[in-house]
Amino acid sequence: MTSAAPPRPAAPPRRSFARNTAIFSVLTGLSRIAGLMREVLASSYFGLSPAFSAFTIAFYIPNVVRSLFADSALSAAFVPVFTELLEHDRKREAFKLASTLFLVMLAALGAICALFILSAGFIVPLFTGDQFSHATDQLAIGLSRVMFPIVLVLGLNGLIVGILQAYDHFTIPALSPLVWNVVIMAFLILARPLFSNDLYAYAVGILVGTGVQFLMALPVLKTVGFHFAWSFDWRDPRVKRVFLLMLPVTLGLGLINFNVFANGILGSYVSTEAPRAIDAAFRIYMLPQGMFSVAIATVLFPQLSRLAARRDLDGLRGSVDHGLRLIFLMLLPATAATLVLSEPITRLVFQRGAFTASDTALVATALFWFSFSLPFSGVNLLLTRTFFSLQRPWMVTYLSVGNLVVNVGVSIVFVALGFGVGGIVAGTAIADIAMAAAQLHVLRGELHGGLDLRAGGEIILGMLIASVWFGITAYLAWLGLDWLFGRDLIGQVISVGGGLAVGLYTYVKMTLAMRLPEARQLEAIVRRRLSR
């Protein structure tokens, strides 16, 4: 008679989608606000100077590389395979897979970092336009060497974050970027006297902040029941499977992220201020993007992976439909806000110190055109992760190639026609709209049954109408408050904040009056929270 097997330890309880999204959204929102504060601080020191544009290009390079080989690409390829093993009660194999990948990434990314540092003098000038002087090029080279090791740290962090996401733990991954921004601001304020060029304090702060971000995630692994097996089984077929998945994910996400890099490169042919102006506008644009669409897509990804592992296509369709409507509910009013208040928002956020009124006008132009891509970029985030959950990443790669071609092609045409910064960013908006339409079309076939676009379209139309009224009322309220209170700092806070508050009030009232399901669902959640 055999004895009964000991019971497996219970898996950590999974939090609800709404709770996870709320936690991730709030923490991500705080980190985006901290990121804006970091940008405000840096802009007050450096304005739109050529040196700051050199920093922007130098920072773009490791960001593009980590999108190719680390961080999001690794998580997107790893989570579906790791989750599938956990779903089939193969925890030991899942832990061995994670351990092998950790060691492989440590060796591979370490080698890439060393190679770049040695060859930066040849690589970086390839990405600077003819408006950059030799001294500006040399500054970009030096700064890129300081910041490039973040590729290694973020690669290892991407694996740790993927493990935590598989266990539905999102708090530390959402909190650590907030700490990252705080560390960088501390370096900007306190460490500048230690360097001959103040921008090196910024670069070192980014490197140190990234290390802190990684260290924050490590202790949490124990709380979800994970431990490294510290084995190196490179013959494990699942390791090969992750890297086979990672190849198209790398290309897909890398191409998507290369659009931002391409904007900076094209900007360097317009003026020495343009790359930094586009980046400053992008930071404002990423505040609603990070709070809402990134939060929704990140929290839904493990759920989509579990549904795909079970081949529950009905559940997958329902989750995608719901996620899309939530993204439009949140991002359409944000689009209206940045369209009608692009200049007041930019002035409030950046215009102080070395950042002048002409700088504000340039950044506001970029922000205006970024607004058109805001909801569609959110849609792309969710649909891209849906393809990853289905383990069909090559489709994202093919579509991303088209996205890049449209973005760069349209932007070059607009720049040649003399549209400058606005033309570059308009190319991004057009490419994002085309990418969203293409992904929706292809995904309907992948799910063997269309998404409920007709019913969803009627709901989104209601959100669009409410967003138009958001824009009208927000602008009129800002106009009146700006006339009353003037444009000192307090006056700007009142006029911009008041305009946004009036617009939001109008939008909430209209979406609830239309009885839009997602709006009523959020109202019920808020009421439950307030009644406790």
Side-chain angles (χ1 to χ4, degrees):
M1 180 177 178
T2 59
S3 59
R8 289 190 182 94
R14 299 194 188 278
R15 293 167 174 165
S16 70
F17 169 69
R19 177 179 168 80
N20 276 331
T21 304
I23 292 171
F24 196 93
S25 182
V26 169
L27 290 175
T28 302
L30 290 173
S31 73
R32 298 294 182 187
I33 291 169
L36 266 184
M37 291 172 62
R38 185 196 81 232
E39 290 293 318
V40 168
L41 182 64
S43 294
S44 71
Y45 292 142
F46 311 117
L48 294 186
S49 63
F52 206 3
S53 285
F55 175 91
T56 301
I57 296 293
F59 192 28
Y60 277 158
I61 293 172
N63 266 327
V64 170
V65 175
R66 63 105 182 144
S67 73
L68 290 173
F69 299 107
D71 201 14
S72 299
L74 179 59
S75 292
F78 169 73
V79 168
V81 178
F82 188 77
T83 300
E84 187 176 354
L85 289 171
L86 294 179
E87 282 290 306
H88 292 92
D89 294 322
R90 298 161 70 181
K91 183 183 293 187
R92 180 176 296 179
E93 294 174 54
F95 290 3
K96 287 179 65 177
L97 170 66
S99 302
T100 300
L101 286 172
F102 186 94
L103 296 173
V104 170
M105 298 303 288
L106 178 64
L109 294 179
I112 289 172
C113 288
L115 182 62
F116 176 85
I117 290 169
L118 291 173
S119 56
F122 303 100
I123 295 173
V124 175
L126 299 175
F127 302 109
T128 58
D130 54 11
Q131 299 293 313
F132 276 36
S133 67
H134 176 71
T136 307
D137 276 348
Q138 291 303 306
L139 178 60
I141 291 167
L143 291 169
S144 69
R145 283 177 168 144
V146 173
M147 291 186 283
F148 201 86
I150 69 173
V151 172
L152 170 60
V153 183
L154 286 174
L156 300 178
N157 190 64
L159 182 65
I160 304 302
V161 167
I163 294 168
L164 296 178
Q165 287 178 356
Y167 282 99
D168 278 350
H169 184 96
F170 298 94
T171 304
I172 292 299
L175 178 63
S176 57
L178 173 61
V179 177
W180 181 79
N181 281 302
V182 171
V183 170
I184 295 170
M185 285 189 282
F187 266 80
L188 264 175
I189 294 168
L190 302 174
R192 284 184 302 119
L194 303 177
F195 298 92
S196 58
N197 188 314
D198 292 352
L199 282 164
Y200 277 96
Y202 198 178
V204 172
I206 286 173
L207 181 60
V208 173
T210 305
V212 171
Q213 191 175 7
F214 172 64
L215 293 174
M216 285 178 64
L218 289 177
V220 189
L221 293 174
K222 290 183 179 179
T223 68
V224 299
F226 176 87
H227 61 85
F228 281 105
W230 296 122
S231 65
F232 185 72
D233 186 6
W234 60 272
R235 290 173 296 184
D236 184 341
R238 284 171 292 270
V239 173
K240 181 180 178 181
R241 186 175 161 200
V242 168
F243 281 112
L244 286 175
L245 283 172
M246 190 175 168
L247 177 60
V249 172
T250 289
L251 294 173
L253 288 179
L255 289 167
I256 292 169
N257 283 281
F258 191 80
N259 283 330
V260 179
F261 189 31
N263 287 346
I265 295 172
L266 289 170
S268 69
Y269 286 91
V270 173
S271 69
T272 55
E273 296 84 7
R276 177 59 201 153
I278 294 170
D279 190 64
F282 185 72
R283 301 302 166 182
I284 298 175
Y285 159 89
M286 282 304 294
L287 179 59
Q289 189 74 266
M291 286 182 67
F292 303 123
S293 58
V294 172
I296 292 166
T298 301
V299 173
L300 264 181
F301 183 41
Q303 179 180 326
L304 295 175
S305 296
R306 287 191 289 272
L307 291 168
R310 299 171 195 155
R311 302 307 299 168
D312 182 0
L313 297 184
D314 288 336
L316 202 56
R317 281 192 293 269
S319 294
V320 173
D321 277 331
H322 181 54
L324 288 174
R325 292 194 297 269
L326 277 176
I327 285 172
F328 277 110
L329 179 70
M330 299 298 185
L331 291 188
L332 283 176
T335 299
T338 52
L339 276 172
V340 302
L341 298 179
S342 57
E343 188 162 333
I345 290 171
T346 302
R347 186 185 303 115
L348 172 61
V349 172
F350 287 118
Q351 192 172 308
R352 59 189 54 81
F355 200 98
T356 65
S358 61
D359 294 342
T360 292
L362 194 60
V363 173
T365 299
L367 179 60
F368 176 86
W369 290 105
F370 264 130
S371 303
F372 292 99
S373 75
L374 189 55
F376 300 100
S377 180
V379 168
N380 286 330
L381 275 173
L382 178 60
L383 297 184
T384 295
R385 278 152 182 77
T386 305
F387 281 109
F388 293 159
S389 70
L390 290 166
Q391 300 187 29
R392 291 296 308 276
W394 279 109
M395 189 57 66
V396 176
T397 304
Y398 302 144
L399 295 174
S400 297
V401 170
N403 175 264
L404 179 62
V405 169
V406 172
N407 182 19
V408 174
V410 173
S411 296
I412 289 173
V413 170
F414 283 167
V415 168
L417 292 174
F419 290 110
V421 164
I424 293 172
V425 181
T428 299
I430 292 169
D432 281 344
I433 293 169
M435 176 77 165
Q439 285 200 97
L440 279 170
H441 175 73
V442 175
L443 188 61
R444 294 181 72 181
E446 292 291 330
L447 296 179
H448 306 298
L451 298 169
D452 195 1
L453 295 182
R454 181 172 181 178
E458 292 173 356
I459 293 170
I460 292 168
L461 179 61
M463 296 173 189
L464 180 61
I465 293 169
S467 297
V468 171
W469 282 103
F470 177 110
I472 292 170
T473 56
Y475 182 76
L476 291 175
W478 169 80
L479 201 62
L481 292 170
D482 181 62
W483 180 77
L484 281 173
F485 293 98
R487 292 190 178 174
D488 61 10
L489 180 59
I490 300 300
Q492 288 186 71
V493 170
I494 292 172
S495 59
V496 173
L500 293 175
V502 170
L504 181 61
Y505 177 81
T506 305
Y507 183 76
V508 169
K509 284 294 184 182
M510 289 192 69
T511 53
L512 291 176
M514 293 179 191
R515 306 182 69 83
L516 300 182
E518 278 67 31
R520 293 178 67 83
Q521 180 187 20
L522 289 178
E523 180 194 29
I525 292 171
V526 171
R527 288 185 182 278
R528 283 199 302 270
R529 292 289 178 189
L530 293 177
S531 64
R532 289 181 179 178

